[in-house]
Structure formats: C-alpha cells, structure tokens
Amino acid sequence: MSTINYISTRGQTPPLGFSDAVQAGLARDGGLLVPERLLPPDDRFHQWPTMSYRELAYELVIRYADLSQVEVAKLVHDAYDTFRHPEVVCCVPVGPVRILELFHGPTLAFKDIALQFLGGLFSLLLEKSGGHMNILAATSGDTGSAAIAGVRGRAHIQIFVMHPRGRVSEVQERQMTSVLDANVHNLAIEGSFDDCQRIMKELFADLPFKDRHALGAVNSVNWARVLIQMVYYFHAAFRCCLETGAPSVQFAVPTGNFGDILAGYYAAKMGAPIKRLILATNENDILARFFNSGEYSLGHVVPTLSPSMDIQVASNFERYLLDRVGGDAAKLRGLMGDFARTGKLCVAGRDPLFVAGVGETAATRATIRKYYEQHGYLLDPHTAVGVHVAEQFPDPEAPTICLATAHPAKFGAAIREATGQDLAHHPILDALADLPTRCTTLPNDAAAVRDFIATHAT
Ligand SMILES: *Cc1c(COP(=O)(O)O)cnc(C)c1O
C-alpha cells in the first residue's frame, strides 16, 4: 500500500491520497493532480523486463495507490479479463516500425485500457465508502463507448453520456446505444458536440447540483488513467529491448489531449528504456508547434480523419508543463494566466526526450494506403498519423514502436477513402447492426439534461 500523496499543479490545495485524488478528478484550485514524486527503480525493478502485462500493472499500481495487495490484484485482473488478447496488448513488426496494438479491449479503442480499470476502481472505492456516483460525459463519438463499457452493470454508478444527435457515425452510435444495462443512459442532444460540452460544463459548475448527485467525470485528466497507461510503455519497451538487443526504444504517439504520451513521459522518468518520444498530431498541431518552438498558442479546431485528436487545448499538458518550470507552482500559475489572457504561453529551452511532427490529411491517407499495399497491414487514421511522423525520425540504435490507438474497423469510411476498398471490418462491430438500442433524445438545453439526471440518478 502506497503512501504517496497527490498535489495540485497549481499548488494551492492540500495534498490528497490516491483514492481521494481519483474521486476528485481535478484539484479544487483548478489544477491537475500529480504525484508528489515519481518513484525511482527499486530492488524489484530488475524483474520487470520479464513480467507479464498484468504483473507489471500490479507493480505500478501498488506503488502509487493506497490500496491493499488483494484489491490491486483483483482490479488488474478484472480490468484485463475483458480483453481479447492474452497479454492485453500486442506488438507486431510492420515494415520499418513496430505497431503496438492497444485496441484489443471491448470497444476496439485504446481508451478501454484505462477505462476498464477506472470503472473497476470507482466501484471499489464506492463500495468501501458506501457512496454512489453519477458520471456525466460528453462525446463526439469514440470516448463515449469506452466509458460506457467501463461502468456498465456496476453497482453504485449511473452513467449519462451526451452525444450530438445524428452527428456521430452509425457504428459509434450503435456501440453506445446497444448497451442496455439499466445504469447506462445515452442522451442524444439536439445540437453539436460543443453544445454537449457546454451543457456538461454548466452542470459541473452548478455546485449544489453537482454535490447533491455526486456528479463524477471519467475524462483523461484522472490520474488513474495516466498511471495505468504507463504499463504498456514499460511492457513494450522491455520486450522490444529483450528481442532486439537494443538498449532503448522510441515511441511514436498519436496525440490529442496529451494523456497517452504523458504516461510515456512518466515511464521514461521512472526508468523505462525509452530514448525518445515522437509526438504526432494532425492539423490540430498546438502540441507539435510547442515542442518545435517553445510556444503554446491557441488555433482553431479543424475536423480531420482522426477525430479523437481534433483538439486545441490539451487537458493533460499542464502536468508536463509543471516539470518544465522545475516544479514551481507559482511559475506555472503565471504561465496558465498568460494562456488564459492571451491564448499563448512560452517556455525557453528544449526537452531532449521529445521530437514532434504533423501528419496532415493527405499524408494520413497516403500512409494508410502505403502500409496496406506494401505490408498488408491496415492502420486506423490516428495510428497512421503517428506512423507518418515516426518515419521522419528513424534511429539505428533505438527501434521505433508506434502506438496503434484504434482498430481500423472503427473508421471504415477513412479506410475506404484511403484504399478505395471496403476492407475494415470487425465481427464485434458488424454484429451491432442487428442489436436493439436504447437512447433518449433531449433538447439542446442544460435544464433538460439536469432534469433527466435528477430523475434517473442513483
Ligand atoms: C483519445 C485518442 C487519441 C489521443 O490520445 P490523448 O491521450 O488524448 O493524447 C488518439 N487516438 C485515438 C483513437 C483516441 O481515441
């Protein structure tokens, strides 16, 4: 059982233990929660390279969580028993790179890796406290189904997921609305994704409502999500070094909210053999620009083939930024103040661990086509962005591992555009066509959503 505490990036709240940090999500001063220190390798570390995925997950969580050995072991096993691959993830050599397939979970998205674990963790904490929780989420398509799959059927939890009515793909909609568990509520809002997000913000800002219904969130700033994503960086880096004899590896990471690559950054700082992190964005390139110029400045969101990376403000970036200013919370507050005022902040110097690049729509399509024609491997459009950027940073001493964040069948239209063929299928998705669905349509109005939650909350 770990005694590590979690502090706010903004430094203006008292430290919290792991269980409280996970239930809080965000710190009360508006900052993000980070461990007060990262743990250096210890005497068991030499055994990590040969451990299974689940063993590694156990070793990491037990070091950062105020939970018993029995609790952590059960959480890890329950989370990953739902995966179709025995080792949870799988790394396959394809042409010049290795593809780390993170999509073998129930909804074929890498977010399952974190959300299957988070769902179990919420259940455990609520069981221990005798409490309950009503999760409210807004989705443009992909995250909603992974969040629903993480908590469906769990006691003490209801989940309300808003999506813009008629504006998510048919497959994505069915992945959500075909889940008929009584604690799952799909809300089709007559508006855009931005409207859904606005409603979400409004309800979370209504503190009496939030407290009365123990409103919770599952978004990627939750520390438990970052922690559990470190596992595949350790696992894949160790395995690849053992297989190839290389001293270290580099990871290419298709990036949106900076959650995934932040886990890689922390893994590297904890001693995983990672030489470099290759950050890849689509046209929404605020992070690529930052790592190349030191300037983090707001642009406009443009829709692309990789919608889960169509963001401008990266919600996890603040954790990394705290390290870049030497852990100085006052300095960080200054930078975040600059950004809020002017839409821009600047940091001097470079971090040698990172390189960054952009995969635009044409390059994404060309990469999907090339990997299919030359290697017979289908990349989903998010993964293709990462592979395209990775190709610009070959390293003879460090094999490149590209994270594959979604199964291509989730993005069949993009695959058709790129290859001219209808190649991307998966039996799980094909089977959805015949399933019954349940969904409630609500007007584009926070009051309507508030009433719905009040009626159906646990
Ligand atoms: C969420 C997501 C990403 C981006 O991950 P971040 O942690 O937000 O950087 C990339 N690809 C897919 C398919 C995703 O769903």
Short mmCIF file of all heavy atoms in Angstrom, two decimals, residues 380-401:
data_model
loop_
_atom_site.label_atom_id
_atom_site.label_comp_id
_atom_site.label_asym_id
_atom_site.label_seq_id
_atom_site.Cartn_x
_atom_site.Cartn_y
_atom_site.Cartn_z
N ASP A 380 -5.43 2.39 -38.60
CA ASP A 380 -6.55 3.33 -38.45
C ASP A 380 -5.97 4.74 -38.65
O ASP A 380 -4.74 4.92 -38.56
CB ASP A 380 -7.22 3.16 -37.07
CG ASP A 380 -6.82 4.25 -36.11
OD1 ASP A 380 -5.68 4.17 -35.58
OD2 ASP A 380 -7.58 5.21 -35.92
N PRO A 381 -6.79 5.74 -38.93
CA PRO A 381 -6.23 7.06 -39.26
C PRO A 381 -5.42 7.71 -38.12
O PRO A 381 -4.47 8.45 -38.40
CB PRO A 381 -7.46 7.90 -39.62
CG PRO A 381 -8.66 7.08 -39.34
CD PRO A 381 -8.25 5.66 -39.21
N HIS A 382 -5.76 7.44 -36.86
CA HIS A 382 -4.97 8.02 -35.76
C HIS A 382 -3.57 7.41 -35.74
O HIS A 382 -2.57 8.11 -35.67
CB HIS A 382 -5.66 7.78 -34.41
CG HIS A 382 -7.06 8.29 -34.35
ND1 HIS A 382 -8.11 7.64 -34.92
CD2 HIS A 382 -7.58 9.42 -33.79
CE1 HIS A 382 -9.23 8.32 -34.72
NE2 HIS A 382 -8.93 9.42 -34.03
N THR A 383 -3.55 6.08 -35.83
CA THR A 383 -2.27 5.38 -35.85
C THR A 383 -1.43 5.82 -37.04
O THR A 383 -0.21 5.99 -36.93
CB THR A 383 -2.53 3.86 -35.90
OG1 THR A 383 -3.43 3.53 -34.85
CG2 THR A 383 -1.24 3.08 -35.75
N ALA A 384 -2.09 6.04 -38.19
CA ALA A 384 -1.37 6.44 -39.40
C ALA A 384 -0.67 7.79 -39.21
O ALA A 384 0.43 8.01 -39.73
CB ALA A 384 -2.33 6.49 -40.59
N VAL A 385 -1.29 8.69 -38.48
CA VAL A 385 -0.64 9.99 -38.19
C VAL A 385 0.68 9.73 -37.45
O VAL A 385 1.73 10.29 -37.79
CB VAL A 385 -1.57 10.89 -37.34
CG1 VAL A 385 -0.81 12.09 -36.80
CG2 VAL A 385 -2.78 11.35 -38.16
N GLY A 386 0.64 8.85 -36.47
CA GLY A 386 1.85 8.53 -35.70
C GLY A 386 2.91 7.87 -36.56
O GLY A 386 4.10 8.20 -36.47
N VAL A 387 2.49 6.94 -37.41
CA VAL A 387 3.45 6.22 -38.26
C VAL A 387 4.10 7.19 -39.25
O VAL A 387 5.31 7.16 -39.47
CB VAL A 387 2.74 5.06 -38.99
CG1 VAL A 387 3.65 4.46 -40.06
CG2 VAL A 387 2.30 4.00 -37.98
N HIS A 388 3.30 8.07 -39.83
CA HIS A 388 3.84 9.05 -40.78
C HIS A 388 4.92 9.91 -40.11
O HIS A 388 5.99 10.12 -40.68
CB HIS A 388 2.72 9.95 -41.31
CG HIS A 388 3.22 11.13 -42.08
ND1 HIS A 388 3.72 11.02 -43.36
CD2 HIS A 388 3.35 12.44 -41.73
CE1 HIS A 388 4.13 12.21 -43.77
NE2 HIS A 388 3.90 13.09 -42.79
N VAL A 389 4.65 10.38 -38.92
CA VAL A 389 5.65 11.23 -38.24
C VAL A 389 6.86 10.39 -37.81
O VAL A 389 8.01 10.82 -37.94
CB VAL A 389 5.01 11.98 -37.05
CG1 VAL A 389 6.06 12.77 -36.28
CG2 VAL A 389 3.90 12.91 -37.53
N ALA A 390 6.59 9.16 -37.37
CA ALA A 390 7.70 8.27 -36.95
C ALA A 390 8.70 8.06 -38.08
O ALA A 390 9.91 7.99 -37.84
CB ALA A 390 7.14 6.93 -36.49
N GLU A 391 8.20 7.96 -39.30
CA GLU A 391 9.10 7.70 -40.44
C GLU A 391 10.13 8.82 -40.62
O GLU A 391 11.16 8.62 -41.24
CB GLU A 391 8.29 7.54 -41.74
CG GLU A 391 7.57 6.21 -41.80
CD GLU A 391 6.80 6.03 -43.10
OE1 GLU A 391 6.45 7.06 -43.74
OE2 GLU A 391 6.56 4.87 -43.48
N GLN A 392 9.84 10.00 -40.07
CA GLN A 392 10.79 11.11 -40.19
C GLN A 392 11.89 11.07 -39.13
O GLN A 392 12.82 11.86 -39.18
CB GLN A 392 10.03 12.44 -40.09
CG GLN A 392 9.08 12.64 -41.26
CD GLN A 392 7.90 13.53 -40.88
OE1 GLN A 392 8.06 14.49 -40.13
NE2 GLN A 392 6.73 13.18 -41.38
N PHE A 393 11.78 10.15 -38.18
CA PHE A 393 12.78 10.10 -37.10
C PHE A 393 13.36 8.69 -36.90
O PHE A 393 13.32 8.16 -35.80
CB PHE A 393 12.16 10.59 -35.78
CG PHE A 393 11.69 12.02 -35.82
CD1 PHE A 393 10.34 12.31 -36.03
CD2 PHE A 393 12.58 13.07 -35.67
CE1 PHE A 393 9.88 13.63 -36.07
CE2 PHE A 393 12.13 14.40 -35.71
CZ PHE A 393 10.79 14.68 -35.91
N PRO A 394 13.90 8.09 -37.97
CA PRO A 394 14.47 6.75 -37.77
C PRO A 394 15.72 6.85 -36.89
O PRO A 394 16.40 7.89 -36.89
CB PRO A 394 14.85 6.31 -39.19
CG PRO A 394 15.03 7.58 -39.96
CD PRO A 394 14.14 8.61 -39.32
N ASP A 395 15.99 5.79 -36.12
CA ASP A 395 17.17 5.80 -35.26
C ASP A 395 17.77 4.39 -35.30
O ASP A 395 17.13 3.43 -34.89
CB ASP A 395 16.74 6.15 -33.82
CG ASP A 395 17.94 6.29 -32.89
OD1 ASP A 395 18.94 5.55 -33.07
OD2 ASP A 395 17.89 7.15 -31.99
N PRO A 396 19.01 4.25 -35.82
CA PRO A 396 19.59 2.92 -35.96
C PRO A 396 19.76 2.20 -34.62
O PRO A 396 19.81 0.98 -34.57
CB PRO A 396 20.95 3.18 -36.63
CG PRO A 396 21.20 4.64 -36.50
CD PRO A 396 19.88 5.32 -36.31
N GLU A 397 19.84 2.95 -33.53
CA GLU A 397 20.07 2.30 -32.24
C GLU A 397 18.81 2.07 -31.43
O GLU A 397 18.85 1.33 -30.44
CB GLU A 397 21.04 3.15 -31.41
CG GLU A 397 22.49 2.86 -31.71
CD GLU A 397 23.32 4.14 -31.74
OE1 GLU A 397 23.05 5.04 -30.92
OE2 GLU A 397 24.20 4.22 -32.61
N ALA A 398 17.72 2.70 -31.80
CA ALA A 398 16.50 2.58 -30.99
C ALA A 398 15.33 2.23 -31.90
O ALA A 398 14.85 3.07 -32.66
CB ALA A 398 16.24 3.88 -30.24
N PRO A 399 14.85 0.97 -31.83
CA PRO A 399 13.69 0.60 -32.64
C PRO A 399 12.50 1.51 -32.35
O PRO A 399 12.34 1.99 -31.22
CB PRO A 399 13.38 -0.83 -32.19
CG PRO A 399 14.61 -1.32 -31.50
CD PRO A 399 15.34 -0.12 -30.97
N THR A 400 11.68 1.73 -33.38
CA THR A 400 10.52 2.60 -33.22
C THR A 400 9.24 1.79 -33.00
O THR A 400 8.92 0.91 -33.79
CB THR A 400 10.32 3.45 -34.49
OG1 THR A 400 11.51 4.19 -34.73
CG2 THR A 400 9.14 4.41 -34.32
N ILE A 401 8.56 2.09 -31.90
CA ILE A 401 7.27 1.45 -31.60
C ILE A 401 6.17 2.49 -31.79
O ILE A 401 6.18 3.53 -31.13
CB ILE A 401 7.25 0.93 -30.15
CG1 ILE A 401 8.38 -0.09 -29.93
CG2 ILE A 401 5.89 0.32 -29.83
CD1 ILE A 401 8.53 -0.55 -28.47
#
